[in-house]
């Protein structure tokens, strides 16, 4: 299988499952602070409801099924997900140890499964098995339903529509009423692959995907990397498959929400493989979160070039780019005034964009409150806050339309 070969190359390169926090690797700061956070943020209310139902009902723990689990990152994300807790409380996990009765991860790739077992195999109620989801949901006779059928980071884009429909039918039949299916796809209109945009979806169902982003820019041309097809998805395309599956299963699959993840910080924003306007935005945002390292702000600004004939996509991305750039500019102005020891830091420009208004306020408050604090306050405090503020712009100025690297649908089984 083409994808298996490409993942193997990434593992051999040594960066795929590396756990060190670095600026360019699988677990860079954008992955942790933007992508994992955003997935957890939107999934949390649904998990809270599942936990509540269990506590008030059977009292049994939750059962999770991670399809395409790779090295088991899904287990980490779910078991570490924060609940609503007070600052003074130490343990902020939403799912406490005794609330997880089963986590099962399946993957086709035995090398990734081996790594998953090394990392999490000793944990109670955790199992990793070889399994294939392209012929429907791999389950054994009598296997109990799961509360969450989980996928992550574009995993369901490995399926064609026929395979996807079969998988959805099986989940609809196997799940309980109230079970959640998290469907993670590659977004159709990400700026990373602007050259592939088309409104005739059948003309370009797939992207010929390359995991070349793990290599430094100077090595990217030299190494030969295998490609594999990933299904580009927009909400109407996902809805169509879900509706067909619902009809076949005789069970409603209700979309609770769509969200976009990584609008300007997807892995391919800097490669230029599918867009002639590459820019080092992912690296710069990662640098904002790196302790002790100052970021070069001019490279943090988005250069968005609209593509003719794609009005709603251009408008939405331009709005985010304008707010993003305005916030970076304002933060630079604040730092200059801070240095000049002026009594009062400048107030932000007027804006009608509510998320930007709040982000401006937070940055001003951060600089005001940071006077006299220990350490390199730019590298460790101001830049980290700017990272969170940019994340909040990305989250609040998107509508789950397939405009990002990842398009995620949260679907509920209704019986
Ligand atoms: C994008 S990776 C995501 C890995 C992991 N969930 C993560 O978050 O890092 C997709 C994973 O799906 C696996 N995969 C692809 N097609 C599959 C299939 N038909 N059945 C099972 N696993 C598959 C790949 O081996 C890979 O580990």
């Amino acid at each position: 299988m083409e994808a298996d070969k490409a993942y193997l190359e990434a593992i051999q390169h040594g960066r795929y499952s590396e756990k060190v926090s670095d600026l360019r690797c699988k677990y860079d700061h954008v992955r942790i602070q933007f992508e994992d956070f955003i997935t957890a943020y939107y999934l949390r209310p649904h998990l809270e409801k599942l936990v509540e139902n269990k506590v008030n009902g059977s009292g049994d723990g939750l059962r999770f099924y991670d399809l395409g689990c790779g090295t088991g990152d899904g287990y980490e994300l779910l078991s570490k997900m924060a609940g609503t807790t007070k600052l003074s409380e130490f343990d902020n996990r939403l799912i406490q140890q005794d609330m997880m009765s089963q986590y099962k991860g399946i993957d086709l790739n035995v090398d990734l499964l081996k790594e998953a077992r090394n990392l999490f195999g000793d944990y109670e109620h955790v199992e990793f098995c070889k399994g294939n989801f392209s012929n429907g949901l791999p389950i054994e006779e009598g296997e109990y339903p799961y509360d969450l059928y989980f996928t992550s980071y574009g995993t369901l884009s490995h399926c064609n529509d026929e395979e996807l429909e079969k998988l959805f039918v099986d989940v609809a039949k196997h799940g309980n009423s109230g079970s959640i299916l998290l469907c993670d796809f590659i977004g159709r209109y990400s700026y990373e692959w602007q050259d592939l945009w088309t409104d005739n979806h059948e003309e370009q169902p797939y992207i010929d995907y390359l995991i070349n982003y793990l290599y430094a820019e100077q090595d990217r041309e030299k190494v030969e990397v295998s490609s594999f097809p990933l299904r580009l998805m927009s909400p109407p395309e996902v809805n169509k498959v879900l509706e067909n599956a619902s009809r076949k299963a005789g069970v409603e699959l209700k979309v609770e929400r769509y969200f976009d993840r990584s609008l300007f910080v997807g892995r391919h924003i800097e490669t230029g493989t599918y867009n002639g306007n590459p820019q080092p935005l992912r690296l710069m945002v990662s640098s904002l979160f790196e302790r002790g390292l100052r970021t070069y702000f001019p490279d943090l600004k988005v250069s968005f070039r609209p593509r003719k004939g794609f009005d709603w996509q251009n408008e939405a991305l331009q709005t985010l780019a304008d707010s993003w750039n305005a916030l970076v500019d304002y933060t630079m102005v604040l730092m200059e005034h801070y240095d000049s020891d002026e009594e009062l830091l400048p107030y932000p420009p007027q804006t009608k964009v509510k998320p930007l208004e709040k982000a401006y306020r937070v940055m001003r408050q951060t600089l005001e409150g940071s006077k006299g604090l220990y350490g390199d306050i730019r590298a460790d405090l101001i830049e980290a806050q700017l990272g969170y503020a940019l994340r909040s712009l990305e989250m609040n100025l998107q509508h789950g339309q397939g405009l990002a690297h990842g398009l995620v649908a949260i679907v509920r089984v209704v019986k």
Side-chain angles (χ1 to χ4, degrees):
M1 193 197 164
E2 293 154 289
D4 219 31
K5 190 165 167 235
Y7 286 117
L8 187 63
E9 285 164 4
I11 302 163
Q12 281 165 346
H13 175 65
R15 290 232 157 136
Y16 193 69
S17 56
E18 209 171 75
K19 274 278 170 192
V20 290
S21 188
D22 200 344
L23 295 179
R24 189 180 276 115
C25 66
K26 187 182 173 194
Y27 301 101
D28 62 2
H29 295 293
V30 169
R31 161 92 181 212
I32 310 297
Q33 302 293 356
F34 266 56
E35 296 170 340
D36 280 355
F37 176 90
I38 291 170
T39 306
Y41 179 87
Y42 289 114
L43 183 58
R44 182 177 304 122
H46 302 279
L47 283 188
E48 276 171 348
K49 205 164 184 183
L50 288 172
V51 170
E52 196 185 304
N53 290 347
K54 290 280 175 183
V55 170
N56 297 333
S58 63
D60 296 340
L62 295 169
R63 291 171 52 78
F64 298 123
Y65 196 174
D66 187 351
L67 302 157
C69 62
T71 53
D73 296 333
Y75 174 73
E76 200 167 14
L77 187 129
L78 294 166
S79 57
K80 281 190 182 165
M81 195 185 284
T84 341
T85 41
K86 294 186 182 137
L87 204 57
S88 54
E89 281 174 299
F90 166 69
D91 192 347
N92 69 346
R93 281 172 306 166
L94 171 66
I95 298 156
Q96 298 289 329
Q97 199 76 42
D98 56 347
M99 269 317 280
M100 192 185 285
S101 73
Q102 170 84 339
Y103 164 94
K104 177 177 165 185
I106 59 142
D107 205 284
L108 268 186
N109 189 305
V110 287
D111 294 291
L112 294 176
L113 286 170
K114 193 169 158 210
E115 182 65 13
R117 287 190 198 105
N118 282 343
L119 291 165
F120 308 108
D122 291 343
Y123 290 53
E124 221 184 331
H125 311 304
V126 172
E127 69 173 316
F128 295 100
C129 319
K130 185 159 193 249
N132 184 354
F133 55 69
S134 52
N135 301 314
L137 185 71
I139 36 167
E140 284 168 24
E141 179 106 16
E143 192 164 334
Y144 287 125
Y146 290 88
D147 298 289
L148 175 67
Y149 299 84
F150 178 85
T151 64
S152 53
Y153 293 104
T155 294
L156 285 190
S157 278
H158 281 287
C159 292
N160 62 34
D161 290 10
E162 211 179 301
E163 293 166 344
L164 201 57
E165 186 184 299
K166 200 161 184 316
L167 182 64
F168 288 167
V169 168
D170 286 355
V171 170
K173 287 183 177 167
H174 189 249
N176 284 322
S177 189
S179 289
I180 296 292
L181 165 63
L182 192 85
C183 306
D184 205 312
F185 297 102
I186 294 292
R188 177 163 285 284
Y189 296 108
S190 177
Y191 188 50
E192 297 157 274
W193 34 83
Q194 194 188 34
D195 297 352
L196 307 184
W197 288 4
T198 172
D199 285 334
N200 180 359
H201 299 159
E202 280 166 23
E203 182 186 284
Q204 180 82 55
Y206 300 100
I207 176 173
D208 204 14
Y209 199 76
L210 285 163
I211 310 184
N212 58 356
Y213 47 77
L214 293 174
Y215 301 88
E217 201 181 337
Q218 63 274 16
D219 298 334
R220 230 174 265 146
E221 300 287 290
K222 291 182 229 150
V223 289
E224 225 174 279
V225 181
S226 310
S227 66
F228 54 97
L230 285 180
R231 177 75 162 92
L232 292 164
M233 277 296 200
S234 60
E237 291 168 274
V238 180
N239 288 343
K240 195 171 153 199
V241 184
L242 280 169
E243 279 158 22
N244 287 340
S246 258
R247 204 171 333 103
K248 284 199 178 153
V251 174
E252 190 187 352
L253 290 170
K254 185 173 186 297
V255 178
E256 294 284 337
R257 79 168 301 147
Y258 280 104
F259 65 89
D260 286 329
R261 187 187 55 224
S262 287
L263 284 104
F264 289 132
V265 292
R267 300 279 184 183
H268 275 289
I269 196 75
E270 14 197 276
T271 64
T273 307
Y274 315 97
N275 178 345
N277 187 18
Q279 41 206 302
L281 285 169
R282 188 170 180 117
L283 188 64
M284 291 300 111
V285 172
S286 255
S287 162
L288 289 178
F289 292 105
E290 182 80 1
R291 285 175 67 179
L293 183 74
R294 291 186 178 201
T295 304
Y296 181 61
F297 275 31
D299 279 354
L300 189 58
K301 290 176 67 176
V302 178
S303 142
F304 177 71
R305 284 196 214 138
R307 183 169 161 198
K308 214 163 160 234
F310 294 89
D311 295 349
W312 68 265
Q313 295 90 335
N314 291 333
E315 200 186 316
L317 291 170
Q318 189 71 65
T319 304
L320 175 61
D322 290 347
S323 291
W324 178 294
N325 292 342
L327 185 65
V328 174
D329 283 338
Y330 178 57
T331 308
M332 284 198 276
V333 169
L334 284 172
M335 292 195 297
E336 277 157 24
H337 279 258
Y338 184 104
D339 286 344
S340 66
D341 259 346
E342 280 175 47
E343 198 56 30
L344 196 67
L345 291 172
Y347 285 103
Q350 290 284 330
T351 176
K352 289 200 175 94
V353 183
K354 288 282 165 212
L356 177 60
E357 198 179 35
K358 170 157 187 202
Y360 278 151
R361 212 169 43 241
V362 168
M363 290 318 299
R364 189 170 185 279
Q365 204 179 323
T366 302
L367 270 96
E368 228 171 25
S370 67
K371 292 198 172 167
L373 296 185
Y374 297 122
D376 183 342
I377 56 163
R378 170 167 171 171
D380 297 343
L381 181 71
I382 297 168
E383 291 200 4
Q385 279 303 311
L386 179 59
Y388 297 131
L390 292 173
R391 180 179 76 190
S392 99
L393 289 183
E394 166 172 319
M395 290 175 74
N396 290 298
L397 294 174
Q398 58 93 7
H399 308 283
Q401 294 166 297
L403 286 169
H405 186 103
L407 170 70
V408 184
I410 300 179
V411 177
R412 189 157 52 91
V413 176
V414 183
K415 284 185 171 168

